[in-house]
Amino acid sequence: MNVNRAGSAGIRVKTARDIESTGDASALDRYLIDSADSGGAIAVVEHLLAPRTLAAPIHRHSREDEYSLVLAGRLGVFEDGDEVVASPGDLVFKPRGRWHTFWNAGEEPLRVLELIVPGGIEQLFRQLAEPGGEYDPVTLPPLAAEYGCEVDFEATMPLMQRHGLVF
């Protein structure tokens, strides 16, 4: 039998205490796989959102596709004028170049596993969690542009009102 011992580039286990997270009880991001861990190929972030919480203003990115696997709760998704609600086990594909956002569409906590291909935009999530990195209509657009993203606060407000959402 051939036994392969895992080296620094081999199999690894990240324990719960090793996983970096940002945010608070209403919106928490857990960085399971950073793009640096995959040579930029992918990032995996777990989003935890309180009921009726919007993850981000309506935005689009030019570099990444996102795949959202619902682990628990109900995921509301807006994309280019269409809206869907996904349940546990559902996978939602959000291709690059399309206006989108998502939110907790239920009354229970939402857990979503976000696969970002290629990785990199998770660095923007981290910056938004730092002091001064809030979702501000003045400061967010230039910061998002550094990551190939655009945001549309004007289109976000009707969506928030329609679904009773908060940031």
Side-chain angles (χ1 to χ4, degrees):
M1 174 157 70
N2 186 3
V3 177
N4 183 1
R5 295 187 189 269
S8 63
I11 191 168
R12 294 178 288 166
V13 174
K14 252 187 190 179
T15 64
R17 70 177 172 270
D18 296 329
I19 296 171
E20 178 191 359
S21 63
T22 60
D24 58 29
S26 66
L28 183 73
D29 289 335
R30 298 180 68 230
Y31 303 93
L32 305 177
I33 300 175
D34 195 275
S35 58
D37 296 330
S38 68
I42 190 170
V44 179
V45 178
E46 181 183 22
H47 299 297
L48 296 99
L49 295 175
R52 304 293 171 196
T53 300
L54 182 69
I58 294 174
H59 63 282
R60 66 178 169 189
H61 25 91
S62 60
R63 304 174 188 160
E64 304 85 11
D65 296 316
E66 294 176 318
Y67 305 84
S68 300
L69 177 63
V70 182
L71 301 176
R74 293 171 36 90
L75 173 69
V77 179
F78 168 91
E79 185 197 72
D80 278 349
D82 293 326
E83 294 181 20
V84 298
V85 174
S87 299
D90 293 346
L91 180 69
V92 180
F93 175 46
K94 297 174 291 193
R96 68 188 77 188
R98 298 181 59 88
W99 291 102
H100 68 279
T101 192
F102 64 94
W103 64 93
N104 182 338
E107 300 305 324
E108 301 296 324
L110 173 68
R111 288 183 54 222
V112 174
L113 195 61
E114 191 83 21
L115 309 167
I116 305 164
V117 180
I121 200 169
E122 77 279 6
Q123 299 307 325
L124 174 60
F125 303 165
R126 285 184 172 101
Q127 284 189 271
L128 290 170
E130 293 175 3
E134 294 82 19
Y135 293 117
D136 181 274
V138 174
T139 59
L140 182 55
L143 177 61
E146 294 177 26
Y147 293 88
C149 296
E150 299 173 76
V151 295
D152 188 343
F153 280 96
E154 188 175 316
T156 303
M157 293 310 127
L159 177 76
M160 291 179 68
Q161 291 172 348
R162 187 165 56 253
H163 293 287
L165 304 174
V166 297
F167 271 124

